Coordinates of all heavy atoms in Angstrom, one line a residue:
G62 N -7.1 49.4 128.2 CA -8.5 49.7 128.0 C -9.1 49.1 126.8 O -8.3 48.4 125.9
V63 N -10.4 49.3 126.5 CA -11.0 48.8 125.3 C -10.4 49.6 124.1 O -10.2 50.7 124.1 CB -12.5 49.0 125.4 CG1 -13.2 48.6 124.1 CG2 -13.0 48.2 126.5
A64 N -10.2 48.8 123.0 CA -9.7 49.4 121.7 C -8.3 50.0 121.8 O -8.0 50.9 121.1 CB -10.7 50.4 121.1
E65 N -7.6 49.4 122.7 CA -6.2 49.8 123.0 C -5.3 48.5 122.8 O -5.7 47.5 123.3 CB -5.9 50.5 124.2 CG -6.6 51.9 124.3 CD -6.3 52.5 125.7 OE1 -6.0 51.9 126.6 OE2 -6.5 53.7 125.7
Y66 N -4.1 48.7 122.4 CA -3.1 47.6 122.3 C -1.8 47.9 122.9 O -1.4 49.2 123.0 CB -2.9 47.1 120.8 CG -2.3 48.1 119.9 CD1 -1.0 48.1 119.7 CD2 -3.2 49.0 119.3 CE1 -0.4 49.0 118.8 CE2 -2.6 50.0 118.5 CZ -1.3 50.0 118.2 OH -0.7 50.9 117.3
S67 N -1.0 47.0 123.3 CA 0.3 47.2 123.8 C 1.2 46.0 123.6 O 0.7 44.9 123.7 CB 0.2 47.5 125.3 OG 1.5 47.6 125.9
S68 N 2.4 46.2 123.0 CA 3.3 45.0 122.8 C 4.0 44.7 124.1 O 4.0 45.5 125.0 CB 4.2 45.4 121.7 OG 5.0 46.5 122.0
V69 N 4.6 43.5 124.1 CA 5.4 43.1 125.2 C 6.5 44.1 125.6 O 7.2 44.6 124.7 CB 6.0 41.7 124.9 CG1 7.0 41.3 126.1 CG2 4.9 40.7 124.7
G70 N 6.6 44.5 126.8 CA 7.6 45.4 127.3 C 7.3 46.9 127.1 O 7.9 47.7 127.6
S71 N 6.1 47.1 126.5 CA 5.7 48.6 126.3 C 5.2 49.1 127.6 O 4.6 48.5 128.4 CB 4.6 48.6 125.3 OG 4.2 49.9 125.1
S72 N 5.4 50.4 127.8 CA 5.0 51.1 129.1 C 3.7 51.8 128.9 O 3.2 52.4 129.9 CB 6.1 52.0 129.6 OG 6.2 53.0 128.6
A73 N 3.1 51.8 127.7 CA 1.8 52.5 127.5 C 1.0 51.8 126.5 O 1.5 51.0 125.7 CB 2.1 53.9 127.0
C74 N -0.3 52.0 126.5 CA -1.2 51.5 125.5 C -1.4 52.5 124.4 O -1.4 53.7 124.6 CB -2.5 51.1 126.2 SG -2.5 49.8 127.3
T75 N -1.7 52.0 123.2 CA -2.0 52.8 122.0 C -3.4 52.5 121.5 O -3.8 51.3 121.5 CB -1.0 52.4 120.9 OG1 0.4 52.7 121.4 CG2 -1.1 53.3 119.7
K76 N -4.1 53.5 121.1 CA -5.5 53.4 120.7 C -5.5 52.7 119.3 O -4.6 53.0 118.5 CB -6.2 54.7 120.6 CG -6.5 55.2 122.0 CD -7.2 56.6 121.8 CE -7.4 57.3 123.2 NZ -8.1 58.5 123.1
C77 N -6.5 51.9 119.0 CA -6.7 51.5 117.6 C -6.8 52.7 116.7 O -7.4 53.7 117.1 CB -7.9 50.6 117.4 SG -7.9 49.0 118.2
P78 N -6.2 52.7 115.5 CA -6.2 54.0 114.7 C -7.5 54.2 114.0 O -8.4 53.4 114.0 CB -5.1 53.6 113.7 CG -5.1 52.1 113.5 CD -5.5 51.7 115.0
S79 N -7.6 55.4 113.5 CA -8.8 55.8 112.7 C -9.0 54.7 111.6 O -8.1 54.2 111.0 CB -8.6 57.1 112.0 OG -8.5 58.1 112.9
G80 N -10.3 54.4 111.4 CA -10.7 53.4 110.3 C -10.6 52.0 110.9 O -10.9 51.1 110.2
K81 N -10.2 51.8 112.2 CA -10.2 50.4 112.8 C -10.9 50.6 114.1 O -11.1 51.7 114.6 CB -8.8 49.9 113.0 CG -8.1 49.6 111.8 CD -6.8 48.9 112.1 CE -6.1 48.2 110.9 NZ -5.0 47.3 111.3
F82 N -11.4 49.4 114.7 CA -12.1 49.4 116.0 C -11.8 48.1 116.6 O -11.3 47.1 116.0 CB -13.6 49.6 115.7 CG -14.3 48.4 115.1 CD1 -15.0 47.6 115.9 CD2 -14.1 48.1 113.7 CE1 -15.5 46.4 115.4 CE2 -14.8 47.1 113.2 CZ -15.5 46.2 114.0
S83 N -12.2 48.1 117.9 CA -12.2 46.8 118.7 C -13.0 47.0 119.9 O -13.0 48.1 120.5 CB -10.8 46.4 119.1 OG -10.9 45.2 119.9
A84 N -13.8 46.0 120.3 CA -14.6 46.0 121.5 C -13.9 45.2 122.6 O -14.5 44.9 123.6 CB -16.0 45.5 121.3
S85 N -12.7 44.8 122.3 CA -11.9 44.0 123.3 C -10.9 44.7 124.1 O -10.4 45.8 123.6 CB -11.3 42.8 122.5 OG -12.2 42.0 121.7
K86 N -10.5 44.1 125.1 CA -9.4 44.7 126.0 C -8.2 43.7 125.7 O -8.3 42.6 125.3 CB -9.8 44.6 127.4 CG -10.9 45.6 127.8 CD -11.1 45.6 129.3 CE -12.2 46.6 129.7 NZ -12.3 46.6 131.2
A87 N -7.1 44.2 126.2 CA -5.8 43.4 126.3 C -5.3 43.0 124.9 O -4.8 41.9 124.7 CB -5.9 42.2 127.2
L88 N -5.5 43.9 123.9 CA -4.9 43.6 122.6 C -3.4 43.6 122.6 O -2.8 44.5 123.4 CB -5.5 44.6 121.5 CG -7.0 44.7 121.4 CD1 -7.4 45.8 120.4 CD2 -7.6 43.4 121.0
T89 N -2.7 42.9 121.8 CA -1.3 42.9 121.8 C -0.6 43.5 120.6 O 0.6 43.6 120.5 CB -0.7 41.4 122.0 OG1 -1.2 40.6 120.9 CG2 -1.2 40.9 123.4
S90 N -1.5 43.8 119.6 CA -1.0 44.3 118.4 C -2.0 45.1 117.6 O -3.2 44.9 117.7 CB -0.5 43.1 117.4 OG -0.4 43.5 116.1
V91 N -1.6 46.1 116.8 CA -2.6 46.8 116.0 C -3.3 46.0 115.0 O -4.5 46.2 114.6 CB -1.8 48.0 115.2 CG1 -0.9 47.5 114.1 CG2 -2.8 49.0 114.6
D92 N -2.7 44.8 114.7 CA -3.4 43.8 113.8 C -4.6 43.2 114.4 O -5.4 42.6 113.7 CB -2.4 42.8 113.4 CG -1.2 43.2 112.6 OD1 -1.3 44.3 111.9 OD2 -0.1 42.6 112.7
E93 N -4.8 43.3 115.7 CA -6.0 42.9 116.4 C -7.1 43.9 116.3 O -8.3 43.6 116.7 CB -5.7 42.5 117.8 CG -4.7 41.3 117.9 CD -4.5 40.9 119.4 OE1 -5.3 40.1 119.9 OE2 -3.5 41.3 119.9
C94 N -6.9 45.1 115.9 CA -7.9 46.0 115.6 C -8.5 45.7 114.2 O -7.7 45.4 113.3 CB -7.3 47.5 115.6 SG -6.5 48.0 117.1
T95 N -9.8 45.8 114.2 CA -10.6 45.4 112.9 C -10.8 46.5 112.0 O -11.3 47.6 112.5 CB -11.8 44.7 113.3 OG1 -11.6 43.6 114.2 CG2 -12.6 44.2 112.1
F96 N -10.6 46.4 110.7 CA -10.9 47.5 109.8 C -12.4 47.7 109.8 O -13.2 46.7 109.9 CB -10.5 47.1 108.3 CG -9.1 47.5 108.0 CD1 -8.1 46.5 107.9 CD2 -8.8 48.9 107.8 CE1 -6.8 46.9 107.6 CE2 -7.4 49.2 107.5 CZ -6.5 48.2 107.5
C97 N -12.9 48.9 109.7 CA -14.3 49.3 109.5 C -14.8 48.7 108.1 O -14.0 48.7 107.2 CB -14.5 50.8 109.6 SG -14.2 51.5 111.1
P98 N -16.0 48.3 108.1 CA -16.6 47.9 106.8 C -16.7 49.1 105.8 O -16.7 50.3 106.3 CB -18.0 47.3 107.1 CG -18.3 47.9 108.4 CD -17.1 48.2 109.1
R99 N -16.9 48.8 104.5 CA -17.0 49.9 103.6 C -18.2 50.7 103.9 O -19.2 50.2 104.3 CB -17.2 49.2 102.1 CG -16.0 48.6 101.6 CD -16.3 47.9 100.3 NE -17.0 48.8 99.4 CZ -17.2 48.4 98.1 NH1 -16.8 47.3 97.6 NH2 -17.9 49.3 97.3
G100 N -18.0 52.0 103.7 CA -19.0 53.0 104.0 C -19.1 53.4 105.5 O -20.0 54.2 105.8
R101 N -18.2 53.0 106.3 CA -18.2 53.3 107.7 C -16.7 53.8 108.1 O -15.8 53.5 107.4 CB -18.6 52.2 108.6 CG -19.9 51.6 108.3 CD -20.8 52.0 109.4 NE -22.2 51.4 109.2 CZ -23.2 51.8 109.8 NH1 -23.1 52.8 110.7 NH2 -24.4 51.4 109.5
F102 N -16.7 54.6 109.1 CA -15.5 55.2 109.5 C -15.4 55.3 111.0 O -16.4 55.3 111.7 CB -15.2 56.6 108.9 CG -13.8 57.0 108.9 CD1 -12.8 56.5 108.2 CD2 -13.5 58.1 109.8 CE1 -11.5 56.9 108.3 CE2 -12.2 58.5 109.9 CZ -11.2 57.9 109.1
S103 N -14.2 55.4 111.6 CA -14.1 55.5 113.1 C -13.0 56.5 113.4 O -12.0 56.7 112.6 CB -13.8 54.2 113.7 OG -12.5 53.7 113.3
T104 N -13.0 57.0 114.6 CA -11.9 57.8 115.2 C -11.0 56.9 116.0 O -11.4 55.8 116.4 CB -12.5 58.9 116.1 OG1 -13.4 58.3 117.1 CG2 -13.3 59.9 115.2
P105 N -9.8 57.3 116.4 CA -8.9 56.5 117.2 C -9.6 56.1 118.5 O -10.2 56.8 119.2 CB -7.7 57.5 117.5 CG -7.7 58.4 116.3 CD -9.2 58.6 116.0
G106 N -9.4 54.8 118.8 CA -9.9 54.2 120.0 C -11.3 53.8 120.0 O -11.9 53.6 121.0
S107 N -11.9 53.8 118.8 CA -13.3 53.4 118.7 C -13.6 51.9 119.0 O -12.8 51.1 118.7 CB -13.9 53.8 117.3 OG -13.8 55.2 117.1
T108 N -14.8 51.7 119.6 CA -15.3 50.4 119.8 C -16.2 49.9 118.8 O -16.7 48.7 118.8 CB -16.0 50.3 121.2 OG1 -17.1 51.2 121.2 CG2 -15.0 50.6 122.3
S109 N -16.6 50.8 117.8 CA -17.4 50.4 116.6 C -17.1 51.4 115.6 O -16.5 52.5 115.7 CB -18.9 50.4 117.1 OG -19.3 51.7 117.4
C110 N -17.7 51.2 114.5 CA -17.6 52.1 113.2 C -19.0 52.8 113.0 O -19.7 52.4 112.2 CB -17.2 51.4 112.0 SG -15.6 50.6 112.3
E111 N -19.2 53.8 113.8 CA -20.5 54.5 113.8 C -20.7 55.5 112.8 O -21.7 55.9 112.3 CB -20.9 55.0 115.2 CG -21.1 53.9 116.2 CD -21.4 54.5 117.6 OE1 -21.4 55.7 117.8 OE2 -21.6 53.6 118.5
Q112 N -19.5 56.1 112.3 CA -19.6 57.2 111.4 C -19.8 56.6 110.0 O -19.1 55.7 109.6 CB -18.3 58.0 111.5 CG -18.1 58.7 112.8 CD -16.9 59.5 112.8 OE1 -15.9 59.3 112.1 NE2 -16.8 60.4 113.8
E113 N -20.7 57.2 109.2 CA -21.0 56.8 107.9 C -20.5 57.7 106.9 O -20.4 59.0 107.1 CB -22.5 56.6 107.7 CG -23.1 55.5 108.7 CD -24.6 55.5 108.5 OE1 -25.3 56.5 108.5 OE2 -25.1 54.4 108.5
C114 N -20.3 57.3 105.7 CA -20.0 58.2 104.6 C -21.3 59.1 104.3 O -22.4 58.6 104.5 CB -19.8 57.4 103.3 SG -18.3 56.4 103.3
V115 N -21.1 60.3 104.1 CA -22.2 61.3 104.0 C -22.8 61.2 102.6 O -22.3 60.7 101.7 CB -21.7 62.7 104.2 CG1 -21.1 62.9 105.6 CG2 -20.6 63.2 103.2
P116 N -24.1 61.7 102.5 CA -24.8 61.7 101.2 C -23.9 62.4 100.1 O -23.2 63.4 100.5 CB -26.0 62.6 101.5 CG -26.3 62.3 102.9 CD -25.0 62.3 103.6
G117 N -23.9 61.9 99.0 CA -23.1 62.4 97.9 C -21.8 61.7 97.8 O -21.0 62.0 96.9
T118 N -21.5 60.8 98.7 CA -20.3 59.9 98.7 C -20.8 58.5 98.9 O -21.9 58.2 99.2 CB -19.3 60.3 99.9 OG1 -19.9 60.0 101.1 CG2 -18.9 61.8 99.8
Y119 N -19.9 57.6 98.7 CA -20.1 56.2 98.9 C -19.0 55.5 99.4 O -17.8 55.9 99.4 CB -20.5 55.5 97.5 CG -19.3 55.4 96.6 CD1 -18.6 54.3 96.4 CD2 -18.9 56.5 95.7 CE1 -17.5 54.2 95.5 CE2 -17.9 56.5 94.9 CZ -17.2 55.3 94.8 OH -16.1 55.2 93.9
G120 N -19.2 54.3 100.1 CA -18.2 53.5 100.7 C -17.3 52.9 99.7 O -17.7 52.1 98.9
H121 N -16.1 53.3 99.7 CA -15.1 52.9 98.6 C -14.3 51.7 99.1 O -14.2 50.7 98.4 CB -14.2 54.1 98.2 CG -13.1 53.8 97.3 ND1 -13.3 53.4 96.0 CD2 -11.8 53.7 97.5 CE1 -12.2 53.2 95.4 NE2 -11.2 53.3 96.3
A122 N -13.7 51.8 100.3 CA -12.8 50.7 100.7 C -12.6 50.9 102.2 O -12.8 52.0 102.8 CB -11.5 50.9 100.0
A123 N -12.2 49.9 102.9 CA -11.7 50.0 104.3 C -10.4 50.7 104.3 O -9.5 50.5 103.4 CB -11.5 48.5 104.8
S124 N -10.3 51.7 105.2 CA -9.2 52.6 105.2 C -9.1 53.3 106.5 O -10.0 53.4 107.3 CB -9.3 53.7 104.1 OG -8.2 54.5 104.1
T125 N -7.9 53.8 106.8 CA -7.7 54.6 108.0 C -7.9 56.0 107.7 O -7.7 56.8 108.6 CB -6.3 54.3 108.6 OG1 -5.3 54.6 107.6 CG2 -6.1 52.9 109.0
D126 N -8.2 56.4 106.5 CA -8.4 57.8 106.1 C -9.8 57.9 105.5 O -10.1 57.3 104.5 CB -7.3 58.1 105.0 CG -7.4 59.6 104.6 OD1 -8.4 60.2 104.7 OD2 -6.4 60.0 104.0
V127 N -10.5 58.9 106.1 CA -11.9 59.1 105.6 C -12.0 59.5 104.2 O -12.9 59.1 103.4 CB -12.7 60.1 106.6 CG1 -12.2 61.5 106.3 CG2 -14.2 60.1 106.3
N128 N -11.0 60.2 103.7 CA -10.9 60.6 102.3 C -10.8 59.4 101.4 O -11.2 59.4 100.2 CB -9.9 61.6 102.0 CG -10.2 62.9 102.7 OD1 -11.3 63.4 102.7 ND2 -9.2 63.5 103.4
E129 N -10.2 58.3 101.9 CA -10.0 57.1 101.1 C -11.2 56.1 101.3 O -11.6 55.4 100.4 CB -8.8 56.3 101.5 CG -7.5 57.0 101.0 CD -7.4 57.1 99.6 OE1 -7.7 56.1 98.9 OE2 -7.0 58.1 99.0
A130 N -11.8 56.1 102.5 CA -13.0 55.3 102.8 C -14.2 55.8 102.1 O -15.0 54.9 101.7 CB -13.2 55.3 104.3
C131 N -14.3 57.0 101.9 CA -15.6 57.5 101.4 C -15.2 58.4 100.1 O -14.5 59.4 100.2 CB -16.3 58.5 102.3 SG -16.8 57.6 103.9
K132 N -15.6 58.1 99.0 CA -15.4 58.7 97.7 C -16.6 59.5 97.2 O -17.7 59.1 97.4 CB -14.9 57.7 96.6 CG -13.6 57.1 96.9 CD -12.5 58.0 96.7 CE -11.1 57.3 96.7 NZ -10.0 58.2 96.6
K133 N -16.3 60.7 96.6 CA -17.4 61.4 95.9 C -18.0 60.5 94.8 O -17.3 59.9 94.1 CB -16.9 62.7 95.4 CG -16.6 63.7 96.4 CD -16.1 65.0 95.8 CE -15.7 66.0 96.8 NZ -15.3 67.3 96.3
C134 N -19.3 60.7 94.7 CA -20.1 59.9 93.6 C -19.5 60.5 92.3 O -19.3 61.7 92.1 CB -21.6 60.1 93.7 SG -22.3 59.4 95.2
P135 N -19.4 59.6 91.3 CA -19.0 60.1 89.9 C -20.1 60.9 89.3 O -21.3 60.9 89.6 CB -18.8 58.8 89.2 CG -19.2 57.6 90.0 CD -19.6 58.1 91.4
V136 N -19.7 61.7 88.3 CA -20.6 62.5 87.5 C -21.8 61.7 87.0 O -21.6 60.6 86.5 CB -19.9 63.2 86.3 CG1 -20.8 64.0 85.5 CG2 -18.8 64.1 86.9
G137 N -23.0 62.2 87.2 CA -24.2 61.5 86.7 C -24.7 60.5 87.7 O -25.7 59.8 87.4
R138 N -24.1 60.3 88.9 CA -24.5 59.4 89.9 C -24.8 60.1 91.2 O -24.1 61.2 91.5 CB -23.5 58.3 90.1 CG -23.1 57.4 88.9 CD -24.2 56.5 88.7 NE -23.8 55.6 87.5 CZ -24.0 54.4 87.5 NH1 -24.6 53.8 88.5 NH2 -23.7 53.7 86.4
Y139 N -25.6 59.6 92.1 CA -25.8 60.1 93.4 C -26.1 59.1 94.4 O -26.4 58.0 94.1 CB -26.9 61.2 93.4 CG -28.3 60.5 93.3 CD1 -29.0 60.3 94.4 CD2 -28.8 60.2 92.0 CE1 -30.3 59.7 94.3 CE2 -30.0 59.6 91.9 CZ -30.8 59.4 93.1 OH -32.0 58.8 92.9
N140 N -25.9 59.4 95.7 CA -26.2 58.5 96.8 C -26.9 59.4 97.8 O -26.3 60.2 98.5 CB -25.0 57.9 97.4 CG -25.3 57.0 98.6 OD1 -26.5 56.6 98.8 ND2 -24.3 56.6 99.4
P141 N -28.3 59.4 97.9 CA -29.0 60.3 98.7 C -28.9 59.9 100.3 O -29.2 60.8 101.0 CB -30.4 60.1 98.3 CG -30.5 58.7 97.8 CD -29.1 58.4 97.2
T142 N -28.5 58.8 100.6 CA -28.4 58.4 102.0 C -27.0 58.0 102.4 O -26.2 57.5 101.6 CB -29.4 57.3 102.3 OG1 -29.0 56.2 101.6 CG2 -30.8 57.7 102.1
P143 N -26.7 58.1 103.7 CA -25.4 57.6 104.1 C -25.3 56.1 104.0 O -26.4 55.4 104.0 CB -25.3 58.0 105.7 CG -26.4 59.0 105.8 CD -27.4 58.8 104.7
N144 N -24.2 55.6 103.8 CA -24.0 54.2 103.7 C -22.7 53.7 104.3 O -21.8 54.4 104.6 CB -24.0 53.7 102.2 CG -22.8 54.1 101.5 OD1 -22.1 55.1 101.8 ND2 -22.5 53.4 100.4

């Protein structure tokens, strides 16, 4: 299926993990799943990175963990809109 990969000899497909996406079929490795850009996040098997960091946080880094992808703004700073 879309956003799933399977290695040679595997009997099942695996979804691209959280923080990665793919709009392609017939992937052969998790490495073919693309990291979401900074400030965006995805759930397993996503075809895009539609989830954004919420207000009060900012896009820190590409990650498979929303807590790593989106960091709280430092003291004295704010982000009023998702990014």
Side-chain angles (χ1 to χ4, degrees):
V63 176
E65 294 181 338
Y66 63 94
S67 178
S68 57
V69 175
S71 180
S72 62
C74 292
T75 303
K76 294 179 180 182
C77 288
S79 296
K81 288 188 167 190
F82 72 100
S83 179
S85 301
K86 291 184 178 181
L88 304 177
T89 59
S90 164
V91 69
D92 295 333
E93 293 183 85
C94 301
T95 304
F96 273 105
C97 293
R99 288 175 51 171
R101 301 255 180 193
F102 195 73
S103 69
T104 56
S107 292
T108 57
S109 65
C110 297
E111 295 179 359
Q112 297 180 339
E113 298 177 315
C114 293
V115 298
T118 66
Y119 67 99
H121 174 68
S124 177
T125 57
D126 182 342
V127 70
N128 295 317
E129 290 296 319
C131 305
K132 292 288 189 185
K133 289 183 181 180
C134 293
V136 174
R138 302 281 182 139
Y139 72 98
N140 182 14
T142 59
N144 68 337

